[in-house]
Amino acid sequence: MTAAAVLDAASWALLVGGGFFVFVGGVGALRMPDFYTRMHAAGITDTLGTLLVLTGVILQSGLSLATVKLLAIAIFLLLTSPTAAYALANAARLSGLKPGDAAADPDPEQRE
Amino acid sequence: MQILGYYNYWVFAVLLMIGLYAVMSRPNLIKKLLGMAIFQAAVFLLYITMDKVEGGTAPILRAGVADEIYSNPVPQVLILTAIVVGIATLALGLAIVVRIHEEYGTIEEDEIRRQDRE
Amino acid sequence: MITLFGVFILSLLVITAIGIVRSTNLFAAVMLAGLFSLQMAAMFFILDAADVALTEAAVGAGVATVLLLSALALLDDEERRTRRSRWAAIAVSLATTLLMIYATFEKPRFGDPLAPANQHVAPWYLENTPELIDVPNVVTAILASFRGYDTLGELFVIFTAGTGVLFVLAQRRRDTRFARLPNADAQGLRHHLVPRVVGRLLVPFIVLFGLYVQFHADFGPGGGFQAGALVSAGFVLFALLEGERAALRVLPRRVLAGMIVLGALLFVGVGVAGMLLGGNFLDYSVLGATPVAGQHVGILLVELGVGITVTGVLLTIFHAFAARVSER
Amino acid sequence: MYYAAVIALLVTMALALARALLGPTVYDRVLAVNMFGTKTALLLSVIAFLYGRPDFLDLALAYALINFIGVLAVLKFVQDYTLRHPETDAGARPGAER
């Protein structure tokens, strides 16, 4: 097995794994019962999925300017998305939304 | 694949008319502005659809690659400037809506008409 | 396969647009408009328009949502249910949609290299750009040089829109003149520690990236329009975090107004300089030792002018709305 | 190989859109928009490689940097809103479809 084949296999595994976690996060954000659990599902898989997908792509890029840009994207996403999640949860908590509050969707009859 | 080739144009037509419908049927002025933004986006989509050349790539020339097919750069230039012009005109529209709200206390079109008649 | 991805995103676009029109809450509609812009950017990228996608990204994510929200803060966010019948509007829209779809069957196939749009001037630009202007990014070459006159006109439209917003909003409200108190609105998000620290860390990187996009426009996607939107997004972030007053201390209104005028003057000045050196208006080939070097100088200066004016206009508009909000 | 990641990202984008349409609170919508933005940045970087033009990563970088601004703008909007309307039940407003 050559080095290139090993790299390809690793990158396959990372991309598929990243895609799986991203998808799990999406399902969680749609199906969980209230806002805080939805955010839990979305926030954690966001971080892991982002990291896996970007690492998978980095393995394909070799050492070039693209690697640096991908690393920068990874760093900025890892900085901003937990911060956004924190800010959002904090705002929801301060405004008085309690866990379990928004459990039910509004009555479909009332929506236009 | 032949049918899929026209899908972009169909989405353009549908988006255009969703925008027009919002402008015609909603009395709320912000909703009208959002409808106009959708209308505008549909036009952008039409232009950018026309720039695509099969098997082509973005028109940024690559050194050392001969006989590469590039997509059409002209619509891209037109739309690039139009997007920034679009946000500037949207801001102007929003400013006028804010002033209307200050004078009339409402942003519903029929309410404003009623107040004008009185 | 890529075509199928495009079809998927286009379907999402239609769903989002319907969601925008149907939601009775304007705040929800603005959030959906943010999603709409993200999908448009992805679609532009799939259709090979990297420059356009970058513009949509910079404008849609950085400025548009913020402007809509600051306007909404001055209005009611609930749309009143209307009793008006919608059947006429539905009928007109539906009929026109069907007519337009019927008309699309006359259009050239998607991606057809022999379509008239791809046969007229585009091949000439693609062939002659390396020789006449010698920059890899043909979009920049057309924007700044071949169709520079057109871009100048667009720049003046932006200039006029910025001036118009100032005319409409800059005048003080009569009834609140005595009620102006120092209030919490103008404080920004100072007491949210984590976003503040991370956000302040990001501001220089956003501005730096904006400058990279500005000066890298010859080689990659970028240019004055994108850079202006990105730099103003950086300053908008600063204003959100530290309050509008702190942002105005960094870039006062006078400086912003100066930037609007300076950028437009720089563009016109490059054109006039070409005339004085014996060429035509906006003919850059006389600006340097060789025609190609002259083109490089001209494109750099013109893009810089565009960037300065766009930054000035977008920030002026943002501050005009933000000042109204904190006056309330 | 990239196709697996692109399909997962596109499906997740559709799920996030569904959450944004359903609501029910303002925070759910903001969460969906933020999620969608991160996924768009990932999608653009994967597609740049799929097209074989890694020089277009600038776009994904732009989203990674400025997607955050929207969330903060919403945060500030909600904060100002609750300052101005202290009497309303803040959990349900603004942004709740009633």
Side-chain angles (χ1 to χ4, degrees):
Chain A
M1 223 166 150
T2 60
V6 174
L7 267 186
D8 267 358
S11 146
W12 252 107
L14 286 168
L15 280 173
V16 171
F20 171 73
F21 279 113
V22 163
F23 175 67
V24 167
V27 173
L30 186 65
R31 296 285 302 158
M32 283 292 188
D34 76 339
F35 169 69
Y36 291 98
T37 50
R38 288 199 270 267
M39 208 170 80
H40 181 74
I44 289 177
T45 55
D46 231 28
T47 315
L48 189 59
T50 305
L51 210 57
L52 289 180
V53 170
L54 286 177
T55 321
V57 180
I58 285 175
L59 289 185
Q60 286 293 310
S61 72
L63 261 185
S64 60
L65 183 62
T67 323
V68 181
K69 281 185 188 166
L70 282 169
L71 279 177
I73 294 170
I75 290 170
F76 288 131
L77 280 181
L78 288 184
L79 269 177
T80 54
S81 63
T83 312
Y86 160 80
L88 201 53
N90 195 28
R93 190 71 199 87
L94 284 180
S95 77
L97 182 71
K98 291 194 181 56
D101 257 7
D105 278 346
D107 186 7
E109 293 295 306
Q110 286 187 356
R111 297 161 88 251
E112 202 194 358
Chain B
M1 278 302 152
Q2 194 66 35
I3 292 293
L4 286 183
Y6 289 112
Y7 194 75
N8 286 45
Y9 297 128
W10 296 345
V11 169
F12 151 73
V14 171
L15 282 181
L16 200 72
M17 285 307 128
I18 290 175
L20 183 67
Y21 169 75
V23 174
M24 284 194 301
S25 74
R26 298 296 161 138
N28 187 295
L29 293 176
I30 292 281
K31 227 26 174 317
K32 280 185 198 288
L33 279 178
L34 287 176
M36 265 169 62
I38 296 175
F39 195 94
Q40 205 175 25
V43 177
F44 297 165
L45 187 64
L46 175 72
Y47 270 70
I48 297 300
T49 300
M50 290 196 294
D51 90 337
K52 173 81 182 170
V53 176
E54 214 153 43
T57 178
I60 295 170
L61 307 178
R62 264 200 288 203
V65 185
D67 59 79
E68 178 134 44
I69 306 169
Y70 293 105
S71 290
N72 189 346
V74 182
Q76 300 192 15
V77 175
L78 300 176
I79 295 312
L80 196 160
T81 52
I83 288 176
V84 183
V85 169
I87 182 74
T89 46
L90 176 72
L92 186 58
L94 286 174
I96 293 171
V97 172
V98 165
R99 283 292 293 138
I100 288 176
H101 185 259
E102 280 169 10
E103 295 301 323
Y104 289 87
T106 177
I107 49 168
E108 306 286 337
E109 192 192 25
D110 32 10
E111 185 72 15
I112 294 167
R113 288 231 180 109
R114 199 180 53 73
Q115 288 190 24
D116 270 346
R117 275 197 300 271
E118 278 164 9
Chain C
M1 198 64 179
I2 287 275
T3 319
L4 283 181
F5 296 156
V7 167
F8 189 82
I9 294 182
L10 286 171
S11 314
L12 290 190
L13 270 172
V14 172
I15 296 171
T16 316
I18 293 174
I20 293 174
V21 176
R22 282 182 59 89
S23 71
T24 50
N25 183 284
L26 293 177
F27 182 86
V30 169
M31 290 289 98
L32 288 173
L35 285 182
F36 191 83
S37 151
L38 285 163
Q39 292 155 12
M40 278 309 269
M43 197 59 224
F44 289 151
F45 189 56
I46 285 181
L47 290 173
D48 285 348
D51 281 274
V52 185
L54 187 57
T55 318
E56 179 73 44
V59 168
V63 189
T65 313
V66 177
L67 276 185
L68 279 166
L69 283 179
S70 25
L72 218 54
L74 294 160
L75 310 166
D76 319 317
D77 74 326
E78 202 67 31
E79 185 182 6
R80 205 170 38 73
R81 297 272 167 81
T82 172
R83 293 271 164 271
R84 192 155 76 175
S85 163
R86 290 181 185 145
W87 286 110
I90 289 177
V92 170
S93 312
L94 208 60
T96 320
T97 311
L98 291 177
L99 263 176
M100 279 166 61
I101 286 176
Y102 176 67
T104 58
F105 291 110
E106 298 288 314
K107 282 193 75 75
R109 191 172 47 82
F110 171 62
D112 186 1
L114 299 175
N118 297 333
Q119 285 297 313
H120 185 46
V121 286
W124 189 89
Y125 285 139
L126 283 170
E127 262 169 41
N128 289 292
T129 297
E131 184 196 327
L132 293 178
I133 300 191
D134 191 29
V135 298
N137 190 345
V138 185
V139 177
T140 303
I142 299 176
L143 180 89
S145 185
F146 288 127
R147 296 183 63 94
Y149 206 68
D150 193 0
T151 309
L152 181 63
E154 303 270 15
L155 193 66
F156 274 106
V157 175
I158 295 169
F159 180 95
T160 315
T163 323
V165 171
L166 278 184
F167 268 124
V168 177
L169 284 188
Q171 144 214 43
R172 291 260 165 265
R173 287 151 59 116
R174 276 160 292 165
D175 48 336
T176 49
R177 203 180 328 161
F178 303 106
R180 286 188 70 199
L181 298 166
N183 53 15
D185 283 10
Q187 289 293 309
L189 300 166
R190 269 161 189 268
H191 53 275
H192 289 272
L193 188 61
V194 177
R196 198 176 155 205
V197 170
V198 175
R200 289 200 65 145
L201 195 68
L202 281 181
V203 169
F205 284 105
I206 297 177
V207 175
L208 183 68
F209 183 64
L211 292 177
Y212 162 78
V213 165
Q214 168 84 53
F215 293 111
H216 194 254
D218 297 359
F219 306 101
F225 288 100
Q226 294 94 326
L230 279 168
V231 171
S232 39
F235 281 101
V236 166
L237 175 60
F238 185 75
L240 287 174
L241 292 168
E242 297 292 321
E244 190 215 335
R245 264 172 231 155
L248 278 177
R249 269 199 296 279
V250 180
L251 271 182
R253 285 208 175 83
R254 274 173 196 285
V255 175
L256 291 176
M259 280 169 75
I260 300 179
V261 179
L262 178 73
L265 277 182
L266 187 58
F267 203 134
V268 177
V270 171
V272 173
M275 282 167 81
L276 292 179
L277 291 171
N280 290 321
F281 185 63
L282 289 176
D283 176 10
Y284 313 139
S285 40
V286 290
L287 292 175
T290 60
V292 170
Q295 290 286 352
H296 284 188
V297 173
I299 289 178
L300 187 75
L301 289 176
V302 161
E303 289 275 14
L304 193 62
V306 171
I308 292 173
T309 297
V310 170
T311 312
V313 167
L314 290 179
L315 282 177
T316 306
I317 292 172
F318 169 74
H319 282 304
F321 278 103
R324 282 276 152 152
V325 176
S326 48
E327 254 178 51
R328 250 168 106 119
Chain D
M1 137 175 67
Y2 299 121
Y3 288 124
V6 173
I7 291 171
L9 285 167
L10 283 175
V11 172
T12 310
M13 282 160 102
L15 295 174
L17 175 61
R19 181 38 73 201
L21 287 171
L22 288 176
T25 63
V26 42
Y27 305 107
D28 287 295
R29 296 182 204 280
V30 182
L31 176 70
V33 173
N34 189 40
M35 231 176 111
F36 206 103
T38 326
K39 300 301 174 279
T40 314
L42 286 180
L43 183 79
L44 292 180
S45 41
V46 177
I47 288 186
F49 275 84
L50 196 58
Y51 272 0
R53 305 282 312 249
D55 39 335
F56 294 156
L57 282 170
D58 290 3
L59 269 133
L61 195 52
Y63 268 130
L65 279 167
I66 62 177
N67 185 37
F68 180 57
I69 297 177
V71 179
L72 287 192
V74 172
L75 190 60
K76 180 150 189 304
F77 177 78
V78 173
Q79 175 188 306
D80 292 358
Y81 196 96
T82 36
L83 277 176
R84 278 204 312 276
H85 307 266
E87 74 285 355
T88 45
D89 175 20
R93 295 185 51 86
E97 302 257 11
R98 288 168 310 158

